[in-house]
Amino acid sequence: MSDQHTQGQRLPSLDVLRGLTVIGMILVNATAGMYYGLQAKVFPLLLHAHWEGLKIADVVFPAFLTMVGLSIPMALHKAKITTGLDAAQARKIGWRVVRLFLIGWLLSNLGWLAHFDGEPWRFWGVLQRIGLVYGAAAVLFLWCGPKTRLGIAAAILLLYWPLSLLPALDGLPGDIWERGHNFIASVDRLMFGAGGHNYVKGPEGYDPEGLLGTLPAIAQALLGMAAGEFLMRAQKRSALTLAGAGAALLIVGAGWGFIFPVIKDIWSSSFVLVTTGITFLALAPLHACLDNRDAPLQGPFSLPVTFASAFGLNAIAAYVLHFLMNPLLGWDLLTQTYFLSRTTVGEAVAALFPVGLFILCVWLPVEYLRRKGWIIKV
């Protein structure tokens, strides 16, 4: 991990939306801590769907993966037109995958590393998936043309449907509408054993960031990559076109969801289309307002833009910080705001106070990095 000053041109809208997704991931994780740790009543939309369905909490991670794909054409454009996928580029991409995977594994197993006699260690996780998706998408960007990549994305999403309907490898009755009763989940159980090193334990267990679910996540990044290439060459009406593409993906995905349900935990193909569509719809107005401006945004709207940009410029660093800062700050201290206010404002609102304070604590160091013009590269 190294520090360097910001170089090259960036689209402010990407930094803002990437930052909003990181804030969303911290919000969701901290809210889950309030719900499962303190049994606090929280807003249900901030918790993940039990299986099929979609809540706000289910949108933030796929939105981040879409942004990974969006950013690749801007980061690797020069390499594509000069060296292509040579040995040096392959090593650079490969080592970044290794670093992300290793950091993710360490974060997923902080408790296990501290005690060894507690919960079993977990192999998969958020940063592990980000690393694998980035690696595959970056290689495909340097290796293939836009039409080929879209064809690969379409093939993955179409073939993932019958793949998920195959009989479970461990004999569990197949039912895509039943949690864990599918081929995708059974591969996770076969790899690490039911009740073993998966996030969801037991005979119906699986990992929501498991092996096969990474395939449609790669397709999601490829869809984002197509949008990134479009934004690089488009001038007029690009926000409207992006919004139209987002609406189309959302409609197709929602319709597909009636027969192949929208399920985050296996990253179903309908889930990919719906969440990619939502991401494009969120990016379109940001692109219209923030990109290709003669002067930076001024006025009251500049404050939330600057706040989100601090997280977006150092997204991985912010995500890692939110794991590490919890024991350092003392979650028990922050939760006192919940206990002191819940009788006045209600439990669900009160539960947001420690969550908001925690987000502000993570913001302070990433805002310092933004003001210094530093980006921590992983």
Side-chain angles (χ1 to χ4, degrees), residues 231-313:
L231 292 179
M232 286 181 67
R233 64 176 182 269
Q235 295 295 327
K236 297 180 179 179
R237 296 185 178 274
S238 53
L240 186 62
T241 304
L242 185 64
L249 289 172
L250 178 58
I251 292 169
V252 173
W256 197 355
F258 285 103
I259 49 178
F260 187 18
V262 175
I263 303 172
K264 174 190 177 293
D265 281 6
I266 62 168
W267 226 264
S268 65
S269 303
S270 57
F271 173 80
V272 169
L273 296 184
V274 167
T275 54
T276 304
I278 292 172
T279 305
F280 287 178
L281 287 170
L283 180 61
L286 291 174
H287 174 61
C289 295
L290 300 178
D291 298 336
N292 302 316
R293 293 178 60 90
D294 295 329
L297 187 67
Q298 302 292 331
F301 290 109
S302 64
L303 295 177
V305 166
T306 302
F307 184 83
S309 295
F311 287 88
L313 287 166

Side-chain angles (χ1 to χ4, degrees), residues 59-111:
V59 176
V60 289
F61 186 28
F64 188 90
L65 289 182
T66 305
M67 301 301 294
V68 169
L70 268 156
S71 302
I72 285 174
M74 300 167 199
L76 296 180
H77 175 71
K78 183 178 179 181
K80 184 175 178 65
I81 61 178
T82 54
T83 62
L85 187 63
D86 61 1
Q89 279 297 329
R91 283 194 300 271
K92 185 177 180 180
I93 293 168
W95 276 115
R96 190 176 190 205
V97 173
V98 170
R99 290 194 299 270
L100 284 167
F101 203 100
L102 179 58
I103 294 171
W105 188 89
L106 292 172
L107 292 178
S108 297
N109 295 285
L110 287 175

Side-chain angles (χ1 to χ4, degrees), residues 178-255:
E178 187 73 22
R179 192 183 197 207
H181 286 239
N182 57 82
F183 178 80
I184 308 300
S186 73
V187 171
D188 294 335
R189 293 193 292 271
L190 186 67
M191 286 181 67
F192 297 113
H197 306 289
N198 292 314
Y199 184 79
V200 179
K201 307 296 191 294
E204 300 175 349
Y206 58 91
D207 202 296
E209 280 80 47
L211 178 65
L212 293 183
T214 304
L215 293 173
I218 292 169
Q220 183 150 35
L222 294 178
L223 293 176
M225 188 182 296
E229 290 180 297
F230 167 74
L231 292 179
M232 286 181 67
R233 64 176 182 269
Q235 295 295 327
K236 297 180 179 179
R237 296 185 178 274
S238 53
L240 186 62
T241 304
L242 185 64
L249 289 172
L250 178 58
I251 292 169
V252 173

